[in-house]
Amino acid sequence: MIKQFSIKQVCCFMLLLGALYSCNKDKAIDVVPRDRFSDATVWTDKGASDLFLNDIYLQLPDGNNWYDPFDNWSDNAMCGFSWPSSRNSAQQAVYTPSTLTFGDIGNCFEWGSRYANIRKCNVFIEKVTASELDEEYKKLRLAEARFLRAYYYHQLWMSYGGVPLITEVLNRAEQGDDIFKARNTFDETLNFITSECAAAYTDLPVSPESGRASKGAALALKGWCELFAHKYTESAATNKQIMDELGYELHPDYAEFFLTKGNESKESIFYREYIPRVRGGKLEGYLGPTFTKDGAETSWGGVSPTQELVDDYAMDNGKIISDPTSGYNPQDPYKNREKRFYQSIVYDNTFWYNDIILTRQGVGSKNEIDLADKDDASQTGYYMRKRLSDKITLGADNWDGASSPQNYSYFRYGEILLNYAEAQNEAAGPDESVYEAVRKIRDRSELPPLPAGLSQEDMRQAIRRERRVELAFEDKRWWDLIRWNIAHINLNKPLHGISIKESGGVLTYTPVPVVGGDRKFDASKNYLFPVPQTMIDKNKLLEQNPGYPQ
């Protein structure tokens, strides 16, 4: 029996780990051997080896502690305050190889930090392979490390295209400039990621210890990368394998899945766990409605959903609001909308935490739509509800105390169904299996199936709307805009909020452009991020992405 340390347990050992291991991410390519454990004390002991691997897990995206999450880079949302990266770096697409910054989501896509984690994976793989630890342990943990390395490579690949594929532990003191590698191609990088996922799948368990990689996680990453690369036949097959073989199910309650009751759900495939007040989350205090009872500021208001997102939620009869037979009334816009709208969005005159949230103008509410960018109130007249709990103490208790306990999901079964539906529709058209995958998603939200007889293009647009709504605030939207090649369309027009005014007891609703919603996206270069100049200065073999200063 393998003695296992959970990902949660590692938090209690981080001080010890820090004493044993250090790695300066800014020197990720200057691989100095100061960051090695003592072989005599680590690679002969499963517990110590687990500490090393668990530290690699802890470098995965920490999405419950972002005050400016990645949806704010897209057309789904914007930050309610003006200083974060989404409003300054992304908003006008002014970033260069010397100025690009991702703010608090940076460790997901920064070149140096990702290669630092890849190097940790390489160290673990090399040392454990050469160790005398028992074969059962080695087989399992090496599969986890290979999956994690593939995960970090996929973040680089989506961000920059082809990147240097490094699978050995480099040492500049011994190898000199031989440590520097040229970039592999986009396809070579994709093939490496998917082959590593396939290899890891063989040795990973179906039901791992909570928070660790599984067969489902390996296939989910593989199928997503195939979809991102427009390898539709391959992606459909990979996602179908998950659907047919691994026993995942949709959680019966969409809203509940993202709260603590969903932490052990059969919908979960790969996720990050949190321990309140030890290594907990702060998302309610960062991302929720800003002001509550008596004007108390109980959140920073980091996410203001856009009118563009709100308009993609269907009516409860399943019809989109632009359908003249849908029953939608633009002067009563929140009536008879689908369940996910009410589970995901805080809008005018709805309850949150301890108060009715009023975003309408002229009634003295501190949550009045902030069209002057004067404070942290919503820029759009909407706040985020999905993923947030109003059953914990909000305010400083959360943003300082890190009291959020719910998981942050990287892959869940709902996404797998949508990945399959999209890939199969692109590969073979809207066959019955495509309708069935989408039907399962819509059934949960009490929506009727899509109408029969859709063309491939009609189904494509239906799946894209379904995906936007189902995966809202899960930090997926930017990558969908990129892979669909529509970022230059959606991000080159103003984003909107809703101005609500009362006169004579009658409310009027008017979509309005919002401050910070004038996004820019240069199709000639912004489909890839620039390789950091600091990395090119170190490694002369690196080529810059097209359109950026060489």
Side-chain angles (χ1 to χ4, degrees):
M1 176 67 69
I2 297 174
K3 179 182 179 182
Q4 296 182 333
F5 283 85
S6 72
I7 308 301
K8 287 185 176 181
Q9 284 175 312
V10 77
C11 298
C12 302
F13 297 121
M14 287 307 294
L15 291 177
L16 171 62
L17 183 63
L20 293 173
Y21 181 85
S22 64
C23 180
N24 184 341
K25 70 178 182 181
D26 295 327
K27 296 184 178 179
I29 204 67
D30 285 330
V31 282
V32 181
R34 295 175 301 174
D35 58 355
R36 294 178 178 171
F37 282 0
S38 165
D39 292 355
T41 59
V42 175
W43 308 114
T44 58
D45 180 80
K46 294 178 193 175
S49 297
D50 272 353
L51 286 178
F52 192 108
L53 184 61
N54 288 355
D55 179 57
I56 300 173
Y57 273 101
L58 288 176
Q59 310 313 309
L60 289 165
D62 189 7
N64 286 1
N65 281 307
W66 294 339
Y67 53 78
D68 186 29
F70 206 40
D71 260 27
N72 285 349
W73 285 58
S74 77
D75 55 354
N76 272 1
M78 54 183 297
C79 193
F81 40 97
S82 62
W83 49 266
S85 294
S86 68
R87 295 277 298 274
N88 294 290
S89 181
Q91 178 179 340
Q92 299 298 318
V94 295
Y95 43 80
T96 71
S98 298
T99 64
L100 175 64
T101 175
F102 295 100
D104 64 338
I105 63 169
N107 74 325
C108 293
F109 312 118
E110 286 173 353
W111 186 286
S113 70
R114 295 300 85 179
Y115 270 107
N117 295 323
I118 288 167
R119 184 176 194 279
K120 292 179 185 179
C121 293
N122 290 340
V123 169
F124 184 88
I125 292 167
E126 178 182 291
K127 294 297 184 181
V128 169
T129 298
S131 75
E132 296 183 3
L133 294 167
D134 69 72
E135 292 303 314
E136 181 187 3
Y137 174 89
K138 291 165 70 170
K139 180 179 177 181
L140 174 61
R141 293 298 192 241
L142 288 172
E144 291 181 51
R146 292 179 73 177
F147 166 79
L148 290 169
R149 183 173 63 182
Y151 189 94
Y152 293 130
Y153 266 119
H154 112 276
Q155 292 180 307
L156 287 168
W157 171 74
M158 292 191 302
S159 302
Y160 303 101
V163 296
L165 294 173
I166 301 170
T167 58
E168 59 183 318
V169 181
L170 302 176
N171 185 326
R172 192 172 190 184
E174 297 174 0
Q175 297 169 274
D177 288 347
D178 288 344
I179 68 167
F180 296 120
K181 310 293 182 182
R183 297 175 65 174
N184 289 80
T185 67
F186 180 92
D187 285 342
E188 287 170 344
T189 308
L190 168 66
N191 290 339
F192 174 78
I193 294 166
T194 56
S195 63
E196 286 294 284
C197 288
Y201 168 84
T202 301
D203 292 334
L204 288 171
V206 172
S207 301
E209 180 191 350
S210 183
R212 290 191 178 275
S214 64
K215 288 185 183 297
L219 290 185
L221 178 59
K222 180 176 182 286
W224 161 247
C225 290
E226 290 163 342
L227 185 64
F228 188 89
H230 300 176
K231 305 289 187 181
Y232 296 122
T233 300
E234 295 90 336
S235 180
T238 301
N239 285 289
K240 191 66 161 60
Q241 185 178 357
I242 299 172
M243 295 159 60
D244 290 346
E245 297 179 7
L246 297 182
Y248 294 108
E249 300 175 5
L250 291 178
H251 194 77
D253 187 312
Y254 176 77
E256 185 180 84
F257 171 78
F258 300 99
L259 303 177
T260 52
K261 289 185 178 180
N263 282 0
E264 305 299 326
S265 172
K266 290 184 178 180
E267 185 167 353
S268 293
I269 296 177
F270 190 49
Y271 50 88
R272 185 186 185 101
E273 296 180 309
Y274 292 84
I275 310 173
R277 306 192 185 284
V278 176
R279 196 180 182 90
K282 306 176 183 180
L283 74 168
E284 287 87 0
Y286 282 168
L287 307 184
T290 310
F291 302 102
T292 52
K293 191 172 182 179
D294 299 324
E297 185 164 1
T298 49
S299 175
W300 293 11
V303 170
S304 296
T306 63
Q307 189 65 44
E308 283 74 13
L309 171 62
V310 168
D311 286 347
D312 264 348
Y313 286 92
M315 302 298 287
D316 60 8
N317 59 17
K319 297 180 179 181
I320 61 176
I321 66 171
S322 60
D323 184 334
T325 68
S326 69
Y328 175 70
N329 180 358
Q331 293 307 314
D332 194 3
Y334 312 129
K335 183 179 180 180
N336 297 332
R337 301 298 288 271
E338 63 160 287
K339 284 182 66 175
R340 287 174 299 189
F341 171 73
Y342 303 113
Q343 294 170 320
S344 302
I345 306 291
V346 174
Y347 56 95
D348 180 68
N349 202 35
T350 51
F351 186 83
W352 171 257
Y353 189 44
N354 60 9
D355 200 15
I356 298 294
I357 304 300
L358 296 175
T359 62
R360 64 188 64 175
Q361 296 174 269
V363 296
S365 171
K366 296 195 72 173
N367 285 305
E368 176 180 320
I369 184 173
D370 183 11
L371 296 175
D373 205 11
K374 66 182 185 301
D375 60 22
D376 294 351
S378 172
Q379 304 289 108
T380 65
Y382 300 106
Y383 288 111
M384 173 175 157
R385 181 186 296 274
K386 177 181 168 181
R387 297 176 49 213
L388 308 183
S389 172
D390 63 356
K391 302 299 187 289
I392 61 175
T393 304
L394 301 186
D397 187 72
N398 182 253
W399 67 59
D400 292 336
S403 57
S404 302
Q406 58 267 48
N407 293 343
Y408 177 73
S409 180
Y410 304 126
F411 296 114
R412 61 181 178 90
Y413 189 55
E415 182 180 358
I416 299 305
L417 291 171
L418 290 169
N419 288 354
Y420 172 76
E422 180 180 343
Q424 181 67 7
N425 184 59
E426 296 298 335
D431 63 24
E432 183 56 35
S433 70
V434 174
Y435 275 92
E436 177 65 12
V438 178
R439 182 193 63 75
K440 290 179 179 179
I441 294 288
R442 291 169 68 89
D443 272 357
R444 174 165 63 179
S445 294
E446 300 176 5
L447 292 172
L450 293 174
L454 294 180
S455 68
Q456 184 183 51
E457 175 60 24
D458 288 341
M459 179 60 81
R460 177 181 297 126
Q461 296 307 319
I463 290 170
R464 289 184 180 186
R465 280 193 299 272
E466 203 70 40
R467 186 178 182 91
R468 184 181 197 180
V469 167
E470 175 73 16
L471 302 180
F473 313 129
E474 297 181 49
D475 303 303
K476 308 285 186 177
R477 177 67 175 175
W478 171 271
W479 299 119
D480 285 344
L481 295 177
I482 294 298
R483 66 188 181 84
W484 292 334
N485 198 39
I486 62 172
H488 65 286
I489 300 172
N490 289 43
L491 299 181
N492 272 320
K493 52 189 176 184
L495 300 178
H496 293 81
I498 193 75
S499 169
I500 307 172
K501 295 181 179 179
E502 183 176 354
S503 178
V506 177
L507 296 176
T508 59
Y509 297 80
T510 307
V512 291
V514 293
V515 176
D518 55 334
R519 300 289 170 86
K520 297 290 186 296
F521 189 96
D522 186 343
S524 72
K525 60 182 179 180
N526 294 149
Y527 277 96
L528 293 172
F529 293 122
V531 177
Q533 189 61 45
T534 53
M535 297 295 109
I536 291 177
D537 291 342
K538 291 179 179 181
N539 179 2
K540 303 303 182 184
L541 298 178
L542 291 179
E543 294 183 3
Q544 184 55 268
N545 280 326
Y548 295 105
Q550 298 296 316

